[in-house]
């Protein structure tokens, strides 16, 4: 019998929590009594923007931006409580530079920000300078500070005036100077355009663009500071003529010339602690050096690596002009080889400066060839399940002297249920994986040297996995894969496995359960043979921060297509076999699209749309169990039990009368998620979320009535809503979500929305409808 919760304990707990908050709030209000006589506590600023030319939303946005640049910042507070200041005051003055009081006051606490720290006149200048930098040259700002009950606040009133715009942009052209010609040739790609508002940041970015273009053309010593953008405001009111020119009088002589590469040397086993310096380093740099395809390789330690791996990474060549782009590609590729923990390059001008030549040396410090690691972690599911995963790995970072990474990983875990009305079997897993990663394309009869920033990888994988659903089923799988992984750039990644072979064997352990439950959605015995391709795009990995970010991951997966066509496989015939084993035949696609809108750096609207569709045919009535979709759980529908949603309107609570279930799987999945993330206090963040989705079967199965996909699918969506906390420690995000189902698709039509059935005071209702999720990382 379940023990009913003690309501008096809950009420006492809430009373105690309220008393603590009230006590902290009262103490926080008394922070001013610790101030010296005549001082006040600075509590912030308020900026008001008044301009008839701006809309209300524009005035509000400008006021927020200006408020953020005003200094000092007041003491941080949460719900009006300045906790760190309170700790600082309560700790008092420590008697020594150690101890609990010193730690509380200086590590946890925060000294008061005083009213005397606020300089109104200085901040008026800061505001006006900011506005002038974005084109408001006639802006007027006034400010004052008021003090009440020893609390001070600064008030600023801003009248921006008319924003100046760019009337024309001219690039100065000096025929006798090749450098000037190169700058003039880039004018069509200029970020400065007539009609745009004047903005100092755009001018700074334009200087950086020109300098980067010149560095890619060989101007090794050129810097953005050598470019001058003159602004002429005298020709027309509120319009500016810009002229892009050079600070020739301030430039060093070497900045005017293009430089070619001379000697390029690679030291592949360099130890940082023993590096020689000065002329001694230059004398030793080329000792015992041999050359491979134009590159110098220090022979003393190079036997550990084949020289071809460096040829794959190098982009700069002797005799060619220096290029910043090629330099970055080479560095990035050397890092992405995965064999070196430190990568550094050094450019040295040759002694005869009139030749404009550069020597280049790469210093590479390799990882230890062999390494061992272990990992262990735990988690909870929202249906009263707990689990743990542990693994040990061994790795060789240079298997065949070509920076190949060979790894073996042994892992195991369990998933057990400690409560809840709906019972699912305890699951135990064991697996072993082996992988070989070649940092290049291995293509028969072809030598491919790509030119992107990233090293391509050829992957060979093999794995064995064992899964035991106690008393119910046992699944064993053996797989092998050969494929490629490469990136176009930081945002675009491809994975193509032309060879994928998996053998799956499923056993039903107890005939009683096989008769009581339909386990057909979990059983598959045979081969899965076919290619897969996956493409990922993530704008958040791009070089610039954006207000709107997008993520897309799409995959296509095939099995037995050609084989089934050759053998004439059909649903009307007995399944075809190869080597005495039945094989799966299907085509599967899935797409995961996410959109992030950043209102501020920490206030984010995150959305996700997932669609998956599997077409089993020929040799298969349904997708293999390891390829099917599921819904529910901590990163899916957070207001429903993990893997117990659907298919369709199927009601898993009916049937044999038992309250024990395995899991629900489907061939089709549709899911939509949205959550609004906002900061609470330092590393504590909150979220409000809603999820909707379901899974379906492609073909009707009498054991799962209402489970087949049809035109009424939108009426079969499960919907939940909830709130969550995220403890964001940068390297780790601990997520706590509380979800409530608000639409249950297994109820009769007209009764599926459950807003009229919210009974928070009922223990039975809470036990069946409040789902708590504890997970690591964001759900999407």
């Amino acid at each position: 019998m379940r023990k009913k919760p003690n309501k008096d304990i809950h009420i006492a707990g809430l009373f105690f929590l309220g008393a603590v908050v009230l006590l902290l709030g009262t103490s926080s209000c008394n922070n001013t009594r610790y101030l010296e006589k005549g001082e006040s506590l600075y509590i912030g600023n308020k900026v008001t923007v008044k301009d008839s030319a701006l809309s209300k939303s524009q005035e509000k946005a400008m006021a927020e931006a200006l408020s953020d640049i005003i200094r000092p910042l007041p003491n941080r507070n949460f719900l009006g409580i300045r906790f760190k200041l309170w700790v600082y005051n309560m700790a008092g003055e420590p008697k020594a530079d150690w101890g609990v009081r010193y730690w509380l006051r200086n590590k946890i606490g925060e000294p008061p920000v005083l009213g005397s720290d606020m300089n109104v006149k200085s901040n008026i200048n800061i505001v006006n300078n900011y506005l002038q930098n974005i084109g408001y040259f006639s802006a007027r700002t006034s400010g004052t500070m008021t003090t009440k009950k020893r609390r001070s606040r600064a008030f600023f009133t801003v009248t921006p005036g008319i924003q100046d715009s760019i009337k024309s942009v001219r690039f100065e052209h000096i025929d006798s100077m090749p450098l000037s010609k190169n700058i003039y040739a880039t004018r069509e790609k200029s970020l400065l355009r007539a009609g745009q508002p004047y903005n100092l940041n755009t001018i700074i970015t334009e200087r950086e663009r020109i300098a980067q273009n010149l560095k890619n053309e060989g101007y090794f010593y050129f810097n953005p500071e050598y470019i001058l953008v003159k602004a002429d405001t005298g020709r027309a009111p509120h319009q500016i003529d810009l002229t892009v020119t050079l600070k020739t009088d301030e430039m060093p002589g070497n900045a005017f010339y293009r430089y070619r590469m001379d000697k390029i040397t690679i030291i592949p086993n360099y130890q940082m602690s023993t590096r020689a310096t000065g002329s001694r380093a230059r004398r030793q740099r080329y000792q015992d050096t041999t050359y491979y395809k134009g590159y110098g390789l220090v022979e003393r330690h190079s036997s550990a690596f084949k020289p071809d791996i460096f040829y794959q990474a190098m982009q700069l060549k002797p005799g060619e002009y220096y290029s910043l782009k090629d330099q970055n590609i080479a560095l990035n590729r050397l890092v992405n080889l995965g064999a070196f923990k430190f990568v550094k390059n050094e450019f040295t001008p040759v002694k005869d400066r009139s030749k404009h030549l550069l020597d280049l040396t790469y210093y590479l410090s390799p990882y230890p060839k062999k390494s061992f690691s272990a990992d262990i972690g735990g988690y909870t599911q929202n249906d009263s399940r707990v689990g743990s995963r542990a693994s040990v790995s061994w790795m060789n970072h240079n298997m065949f002297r070509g920076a190949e990474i060979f790894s073996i990983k042994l892992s195991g875990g369990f998933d057990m249920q400690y409560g809840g009305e709906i019972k699912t079997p305890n699951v135990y897993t064991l697996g072993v994986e082996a992988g070989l990663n070649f940092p290049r394309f291995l293509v028969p009869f072809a030598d491919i040297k790509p030119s992107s920033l990233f090293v391509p990888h050829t992957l060979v994988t093999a794995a064995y996995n064992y899964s035991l659903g106690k008393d119910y089923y046992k699944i064993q799988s053996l797989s092998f894969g050969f494929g490629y992984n490469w990136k176009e750039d930081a945002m675009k990644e491809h994975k193509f496995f032309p060879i994928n072979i998996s053998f799956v064997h499923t056993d039903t352990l107890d005939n009683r359960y096989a008769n009581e439950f339909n386990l057909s959605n979990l059983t598959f015995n045979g081969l899965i043979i076919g290619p897969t391709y996956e493409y990922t795009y993530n704008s958040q990995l791009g070089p610039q921060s954006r207000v709107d970010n997008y993520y897309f991951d799409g995959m296509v997966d095939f099995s037995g297509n050609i084989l089934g066509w050759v053998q004439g496989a059909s649903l009307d015939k007995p399944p075809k076999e190869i080597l005495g084993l039945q094989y799966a035949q299907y085509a599967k696609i899935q797409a995961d699209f996410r959109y992030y809108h950043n209102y501020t750096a920490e206030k984010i609207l995150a959305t996700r749309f997932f669609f998956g569709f599997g077409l089993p045919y020929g040799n298969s009535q349904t997708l293999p169990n390891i390829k099917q979709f599921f819904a529910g759980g901590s990163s899916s529908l957070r207001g429903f039990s993990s893997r117990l949603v659907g298919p369709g309107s199927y009601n898993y609570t009916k049937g044999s009368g038992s309250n024990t279930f395995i899991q629900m799987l489907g061939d089709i999945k549709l899911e939509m998620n949205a959550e609004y993330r906002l900061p609470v206090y330092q590393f504590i963040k909150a979220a409000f979320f809603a999820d909707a989705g379901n899974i379906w079967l492609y073909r009707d199965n009498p054991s799962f009535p209402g489970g087949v996909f049809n035109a009424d699918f939108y009426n079969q969506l499960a919907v939940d809503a909830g709130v969550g906390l995220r403890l964001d420690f940068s390297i780790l995000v601990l997520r706590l979500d509380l979800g409530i189902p608000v639409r249950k698709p297994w109820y009769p039509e007209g009764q599926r929305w459950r807003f009229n059935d919210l009974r928070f005071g009922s223990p039975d209702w809470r036990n069946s409808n409040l789902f708590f999720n504890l997970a690591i990382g964001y759900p999407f």
Side-chain angles (χ1 to χ4, degrees):
M1 179 181 238
R2 179 182 311 202
K3 186 177 180 180
K4 294 185 178 180
N6 191 326
K7 294 184 179 179
D8 293 336
I9 294 177
H10 290 322
I11 295 173
L14 290 173
F15 178 80
F16 175 76
L17 180 61
V20 170
V21 172
L22 181 62
L23 176 62
L24 286 175
T26 304
S27 301
S28 176
C29 292
N30 291 331
N31 279 321
T32 55
R33 66 189 177 93
Y34 295 94
L35 301 175
E36 295 182 3
K37 185 177 180 180
E39 274 291 2
S40 61
L41 182 68
Y42 176 68
I43 60 174
N45 69 77
K46 179 177 176 56
V47 177
T48 303
V49 177
K50 295 182 178 180
D51 198 313
S52 59
L54 300 176
S55 66
K56 293 298 181 182
S57 61
Q58 290 174 324
E59 288 183 350
K60 182 180 178 182
M62 182 179 288
E64 291 178 353
L66 295 174
S67 180
D68 288 342
I69 66 172
I70 292 174
R71 294 295 182 269
L73 296 174
N75 291 104
R76 286 170 285 187
N77 74 87
F78 174 60
L79 299 179
I81 300 172
R82 293 177 172 83
F83 176 75
K84 294 176 76 69
L85 175 59
W86 176 76
V87 171
Y88 180 89
N89 287 327
M90 293 301 294
E93 187 69 34
K95 296 180 180 179
D97 293 342
W98 58 276
V100 175
R101 177 173 290 186
Y102 176 85
W103 178 78
L104 284 172
R105 186 176 176 92
N106 295 282
K107 301 299 182 181
I108 304 298
E110 181 180 75
V113 180
L114 305 175
S116 58
D117 295 332
M118 161 55 69
N119 188 320
V120 174
K121 184 176 180 180
S122 176
N123 276 286
I124 288 175
N125 292 332
I126 291 173
V127 169
N128 286 335
N129 287 338
Y130 175 89
L131 292 171
Q132 289 173 10
N133 288 341
I134 59 175
Y136 292 97
F137 291 98
S138 57
R140 300 191 309 275
T141 303
S142 61
T144 185
M145 191 165 67
T146 62
T147 302
K148 185 178 181 180
K149 295 182 178 179
R150 304 192 72 184
R151 292 173 177 80
S152 296
R153 182 184 294 273
F155 294 87
F156 297 89
T157 302
V158 179
T159 306
I162 300 175
Q163 187 177 23
D164 287 19
S165 61
I166 300 173
K167 182 182 179 182
S168 66
V169 181
R170 186 177 71 88
F171 279 72
E172 192 173 61
H173 184 197
I174 304 174
D175 290 333
S176 60
M177 187 186 299
L179 175 61
S180 178
K181 289 182 179 180
N182 275 279
I183 296 176
Y184 185 77
T186 69
R187 67 190 186 283
E188 297 298 330
K189 297 181 180 180
S190 175
L191 303 175
L192 304 174
R193 300 285 181 179
Q196 289 182 341
Y198 174 88
N199 193 310
L200 181 60
N201 286 333
T202 305
I203 292 176
I204 293 173
T205 306
E206 170 68 3
R207 294 168 63 193
E208 293 172 349
R209 182 196 69 83
I210 294 172
Q212 184 172 3
N213 182 78
L214 292 173
K215 284 182 175 289
N216 289 334
E217 295 294 329
Y219 291 92
F220 178 80
Y221 290 101
F222 193 88
N223 287 318
E225 292 76 15
Y226 303 152
I227 298 170
L228 175 64
V229 180
K230 298 178 180 178
D232 186 352
T233 61
R235 295 193 178 186
H238 303 295
Q239 290 190 328
I240 301 176
D241 295 307
L242 299 179
T243 301
V244 181
T245 185
L246 288 167
K247 301 179 183 177
T248 54
D249 295 338
E250 301 178 18
M251 292 170 54
N254 55 14
F256 289 90
Y257 298 102
R258 299 173 72 186
Y259 279 75
R260 292 181 185 271
M261 304 308 304
D262 192 23
K263 294 179 181 179
I264 299 179
T265 306
I266 303 165
I267 304 177
N269 204 341
Y270 169 72
Q271 301 299 322
M272 294 186 66
S273 60
T274 60
R275 181 183 176 185
T277 59
S279 59
R280 181 167 172 260
R282 288 190 289 273
R283 288 196 303 271
Q284 294 182 346
R285 187 176 299 160
Y286 305 117
Q287 288 182 359
D288 303 322
T289 300
T290 59
Y291 288 88
Y292 177 81
K293 296 185 178 181
Y295 302 103
L297 205 62
V298 176
E299 196 63 55
R300 183 176 44 155
H301 298 295
S302 63
S303 59
F305 296 94
K306 295 178 180 178
D308 188 60
I309 68 168
F310 305 112
Y311 172 73
Q312 289 279 335
M314 293 296 103
Q315 297 298 308
L316 294 170
K317 297 179 180 179
E320 292 185 350
Y321 281 113
Y322 164 81
S323 168
L324 176 63
K325 177 182 176 182
D326 288 342
Q327 174 192 348
N328 289 336
I329 290 175
L331 287 173
N332 206 68
R333 285 181 163 209
L334 290 169
V335 170
N336 278 273
L337 282 174
F340 304 102
K341 58 183 176 180
F342 297 112
V343 175
K344 182 180 180 180
N345 63 359
E346 182 179 71
F347 290 88
T348 307
V350 299
K351 290 184 178 180
D352 187 350
R353 301 296 178 92
S354 64
K355 293 183 178 180
H356 309 303
L357 295 175
L358 296 170
D359 288 336
L360 171 60
T361 303
Y362 287 95
Y363 300 97
L364 313 178
S365 299
Y367 283 107
K369 185 175 181 180
K370 299 174 183 179
S371 63
F372 178 85
S373 63
D375 183 40
I376 188 170
Y379 63 91
T380 69
Q381 293 281 12
N382 60 10
D383 50 356
S384 302
R385 299 186 68 81
V386 296
S388 179
R389 296 285 185 272
S391 66
V392 292
S393 302
W394 178 86
M395 188 176 295
N396 186 317
H397 287 273
N398 192 25
M399 188 69 177
F400 305 117
R401 296 178 49 236
E404 302 89 356
I405 298 177
F406 176 71
S407 62
I408 297 178
K409 179 180 179 180
L410 178 66
S411 60
F414 66 86
D415 189 298
M416 305 179 68
Q417 189 167 13
Y418 62 87
E421 294 182 350
I422 302 170
K423 305 297 182 182
T424 56
N426 295 338
V427 178
Y428 305 89
T429 60
L430 180 68
V432 58
E433 303 173 33
L436 187 56
N437 184 330
F438 296 86
R440 54 193 170 275
F441 280 128
L442 290 183
V443 181
F445 314 111
D447 182 13
I448 302 175
K449 184 181 180 182
S451 58
S452 73
L453 276 169
F454 300 90
V455 173
H457 296 271
T458 300
L459 307 174
V460 182
T461 62
Y464 169 79
N465 288 287
Y466 174 88
S467 178
L468 173 66
K470 183 173 172 54
D471 297 330
Y472 287 84
Y473 63 87
K474 177 174 65 177
I475 301 176
Q476 300 180 77
S477 66
L478 183 65
S479 61
F480 171 81
F482 176 88
Y484 308 98
N485 176 207
W486 72 98
K487 283 188 173 185
E488 292 182 51
D489 54 39
M491 299 185 291
K492 302 172 186 175
E493 183 175 4
H494 303 261
K495 293 180 182 178
F496 174 52
F497 275 76
I499 300 176
N500 263 319
I501 303 174
S502 296
F503 170 71
V504 182
H505 183 75
T506 306
D507 292 319
T508 301
L509 299 180
D510 195 317
N511 289 330
R512 292 176 303 165
Y513 298 118
N515 294 329
E516 185 177 0
F517 304 105
N518 176 37
L519 303 179
S520 62
N521 68 326
L522 293 177
T523 57
F524 173 78
N525 290 282
L527 291 172
I528 302 171
I529 308 173
T532 62
Y533 169 74
E534 183 176 3
Y535 171 76
T536 304
Y537 172 82
N538 188 355
S539 68
Q540 296 178 100
L541 301 177
Q544 297 179 345
S545 60
R546 309 182 185 192
V547 174
D548 298 295
N549 280 295
Y550 303 90
Y551 172 93
F552 173 80
D553 183 85
M555 186 177 73
V556 292
D557 182 2
F558 301 99
S559 175
N561 305 102
I562 297 176
L563 189 60
W565 175 74
V566 170
Q567 292 188 333
S570 172
L571 294 173
D572 301 328
K573 301 177 183 179
K576 302 294 182 180
E577 295 182 348
I578 180 174
L579 301 176
L581 297 171
Q582 180 182 335
Y583 58 87
Q585 189 175 10
Y586 65 83
K588 175 185 173 184
I589 62 171
Q590 66 183 53
D592 183 349
F593 177 78
R594 306 175 191 179
Y595 166 70
Y596 303 89
H597 179 75
N598 302 288
Y599 295 98
T600 67
E602 294 188 294
K603 294 181 180 179
I604 302 170
L605 174 64
T607 61
R608 175 174 63 179
F609 174 82
F610 181 92
F611 172 74
F613 177 81
L615 174 63
Y617 68 100
N619 228 37
S620 299
Q621 289 281 346
T622 185
L623 293 182
N625 51 358
I626 64 172
K627 296 289 185 176
Q628 286 185 298
F629 301 103
F630 64 88
S634 61
S635 294
S636 179
L637 305 180
R638 287 165 279 184
F640 294 89
S641 297
S642 176
R643 297 176 180 249
L644 284 181
V645 179
S649 60
Y650 174 70
N651 187 353
Y652 65 86
T653 63
K654 293 184 178 180
S656 64
S658 172
N659 65 344
T660 301
F661 298 92
I662 311 297
Q663 54 183 295
M664 300 302 156
L665 302 174
D667 306 313
I668 301 168
K669 179 178 179 178
L670 178 66
E671 185 171 303
M672 296 159 285
N673 315 85
E675 68 176 37
Y676 178 65
R677 302 166 183 168
L678 67 160
V680 176
Y681 180 73
Q682 292 189 347
F683 61 86
I684 303 175
K685 300 176 182 179
F688 300 91
F689 64 82
D691 310 305
N694 207 333
I695 59 170
W696 292 268
L697 301 174
Y698 181 75
R699 290 189 177 87
D700 192 18
N701 186 335
S703 299
F704 298 98
V708 70
F709 185 82
N710 56 50
D712 195 40
F713 72 92
Y714 56 89
N715 282 324
Q716 299 174 351
L717 294 177
V719 182
D720 66 64
V723 297
L725 282 178
R726 287 90 169 90
L727 306 181
D728 191 342
F729 303 108
S730 297
I731 60 172
L732 174 69
V733 177
L734 182 64
R735 174 165 55 92
L736 302 93
D737 287 331
L738 178 65
I740 302 174
V742 295
R743 193 175 195 274
K744 300 179 179 180
W746 56 85
Y747 274 78
E749 289 193 44
Q751 301 179 30
R752 293 175 178 174
W753 289 105
R754 309 304 297 169
F755 290 113
N756 59 350
D757 188 39
L758 299 178
R759 293 173 283 121
F760 293 98
S762 168
D764 292 335
W765 182 91
R766 293 198 303 269
N767 190 64
S768 301
N769 292 274
L770 295 183
F771 291 89
F772 176 75
N773 300 278
L774 175 62
I776 302 296
Y778 288 100
F780 53 89

